[in-house]
Amino acid sequence: MINVILPVGISFYTFQALSYSIDVYRKNTTATRDIVQFFAYVSFFPQLVAGPIERSTNLLPQFAKERHFDYAQAADGMRQMLWGFFKKMVIADNCAQTVDAVWDNYSTLNGSCLVVAALLFTFQIYGDFSGYSDIAIGCSRLFGISLKKNFNFPYFSRDIAEFWRRWHISLNTWFRDYLYIPLGGSRVSTPKVIRNTLIIFLVCGFWHGANWTFIAWGAFNALLFIPLLLRKTNRKNLDVVAANAKFFPSCREFFQVAVTFALVVCGWVIFRAPTIGDVGAFFNQMLFSGTLLTNPHEQLRNLHTIHSLYIALIALLIFAEWLARKREHALSLLPKTGILRWGIYLIIVYIIIRYRTSSAQFIYFQF
């Protein structure tokens, strides 16, 4: 085996440079003559190492025009950064400790512990990646630069197609525009539609790394997506769940969200597993060891990883994002009253300082 050291975030800025070259070739945009603007586009530091993957048609015009400091925009950017730090440093990093400990010992643990680990990794990867995106987008707004939204509350999706419209939006739209549509998209024969969908998801899996688990994860999502595409229901759920000023979803929507979330959790198990063999062994231990309904608390406590307060913080994350599911980010809902608003700021800052960890890195730095 040859171990090759690659620059951090190489796939993100490579895709940005590719989209610029392709757009210029297609005459969708004109080539810039300003080398400073071009390199600023390719290496814009907030989103350089983990996205969002930006397009030249959005970013270059913003570099070309004169900008002035906008207090309201900067303040909202700071709020989004604060929420991103909460998701990354509190939710993702604390979940990571339990997830890593369980995966290191999964063959000896109860199935219920493995279920907990699968759920925690689901929130770990979301808090890690969407947290980084919030920090990058918020930081950019301090400079008067608007980046594309990269996550749109994906765990409230009612089917797998809606999930992929809301998860890592910049990557998914990149594959759609530069690979899926040139292959013919969904305007070709049924066998070719299936082929195109498989190619997209397999390439998406391969983009994450040269490991069979990523390929299997891509294939798993393709198998969930293709039936929706063939029935032409893949664009059925375009609006937010529980729309029209409703707070609670209908029973049908709740069931759809629960089923979709369960399928996504299964997919993240495949994504997290070191090898394909570990995928089968993990599911076998979780589902068929006869310990699925046991109390996981004792074993998790012995691993010295989980605290009941972390579950409450995850519940806070879900509740806040449910309230803000029609907005840009959760803290955009803050009240106008200064004392109450600043009180919430201070509480979040305290939680970040009190429950942060120093060991976890960003998952997507490796991609």
Side-chain angles (χ1 to χ4, degrees), residues 20-79:
Y20 170 80
S21 302
I22 295 170
D23 284 344
V24 169
Y25 175 77
R26 292 177 174 176
K27 295 181 171 55
N28 293 334
T29 188
T30 56
T32 180
R33 303 297 179 184
D34 191 322
I35 193 170
V36 174
Q37 291 178 13
F38 173 76
F39 281 114
Y41 159 70
V42 174
S43 59
F44 187 49
F45 79 90
Q47 44 84 232
L48 176 65
V49 291
I53 301 170
E54 270 296 342
R55 304 292 180 86
S56 60
T57 51
N58 177 54
L59 213 51
L60 278 175
Q62 296 187 70
F63 290 138
K65 70 180 182 180
E66 184 178 358
R67 293 179 305 282
H68 300 278
F69 181 76
D70 185 321
Y71 176 83
Q73 185 183 32
D76 192 61
M78 292 289 286
R79 283 190 286 270

Side-chain angles (χ1 to χ4, degrees), residues 5-209:
I5 298 176
L6 296 175
V8 172
I10 185 171
S11 56
F12 288 91
Y13 51 80
T14 298
F15 270 34
Q16 285 197 188
L18 278 171
S19 69
Y20 170 80
S21 302
I22 295 170
D23 284 344
V24 169
Y25 175 77
R26 292 177 174 176
K27 295 181 171 55
N28 293 334
T29 188
T30 56
T32 180
R33 303 297 179 184
D34 191 322
I35 193 170
V36 174
Q37 291 178 13
F38 173 76
F39 281 114
Y41 159 70
V42 174
S43 59
F44 187 49
F45 79 90
Q47 44 84 232
L48 176 65
V49 291
I53 301 170
E54 270 296 342
R55 304 292 180 86
S56 60
T57 51
N58 177 54
L59 213 51
L60 278 175
Q62 296 187 70
F63 290 138
K65 70 180 182 180
E66 184 178 358
R67 293 179 305 282
H68 300 278
F69 181 76
D70 185 321
Y71 176 83
Q73 185 183 32
D76 192 61
M78 292 289 286
R79 283 190 286 270
Q80 190 164 2
M81 290 177 69
L82 180 62
W83 189 244
F85 284 124
F86 170 79
K87 288 198 284 188
K88 166 57 182 170
M89 299 175 68
V90 177
I91 303 299
D93 289 357
N94 283 292
C95 286
Q97 296 185 55
T98 300
V99 171
D100 293 343
V102 170
W103 270 99
D104 289 341
N105 303 276
Y106 74 86
S107 61
T108 64
L109 298 177
N110 292 338
S112 56
C113 292
L114 273 55
V115 172
V116 171
L119 290 170
L120 290 180
F121 181 72
T122 299
F123 288 102
Q124 178 195 348
I125 194 168
Y126 174 68
D128 187 283
F129 197 14
S130 71
Y132 181 93
S133 294
D134 283 337
I135 296 167
I137 293 169
C139 181
S140 298
R141 300 189 74 185
L142 299 177
F143 298 93
I145 300 294
S146 296
L147 301 182
K148 296 291 187 181
K149 191 173 185 176
N150 207 25
F151 288 84
N152 191 17
F153 312 108
Y155 290 158
F156 301 141
S157 301
R158 287 152 289 184
D159 58 48
I160 203 69
E162 184 182 7
F163 171 80
W164 280 105
R165 283 194 298 273
R166 295 176 176 274
W167 178 274
H168 201 351
I169 299 169
S170 62
L171 178 67
N172 296 328
T173 54
W174 199 100
F175 280 129
R176 180 197 67 196
D177 295 342
Y178 299 116
L179 187 57
Y180 184 71
I181 292 177
L183 286 171
S186 56
R187 299 180 181 273
V188 290
S189 63
T190 299
K192 288 185 177 180
V193 169
I194 296 174
R195 177 204 66 183
N196 296 345
T197 305
L198 280 170
I199 289 174
I200 287 295
F201 279 101
L202 292 177
V203 170
C204 181
F206 190 71
W207 177 86
H208 286 85

Side-chain angles (χ1 to χ4, degrees), residues 253-307:
E253 286 179 323
F254 180 82
F255 177 76
Q256 290 172 328
V257 169
V259 171
T260 303
F261 181 76
L263 293 172
V264 169
V265 171
C266 292
W268 289 135
V269 170
I270 302 172
F271 186 95
R272 174 60 177 80
T275 67
I276 288 292
D278 288 313
V279 174
F282 189 95
F283 277 116
N284 181 68
Q285 181 70 13
M286 181 171 65
L287 300 175
F288 305 112
S289 65
T291 58
L292 182 60
L293 301 180
T294 59
N295 188 342
H297 182 263
E298 186 67 28
Q299 287 192 332
L300 292 174
R301 187 177 63 181
N302 292 337
L303 293 174
H304 304 289
T305 58
I306 195 168
H307 192 284

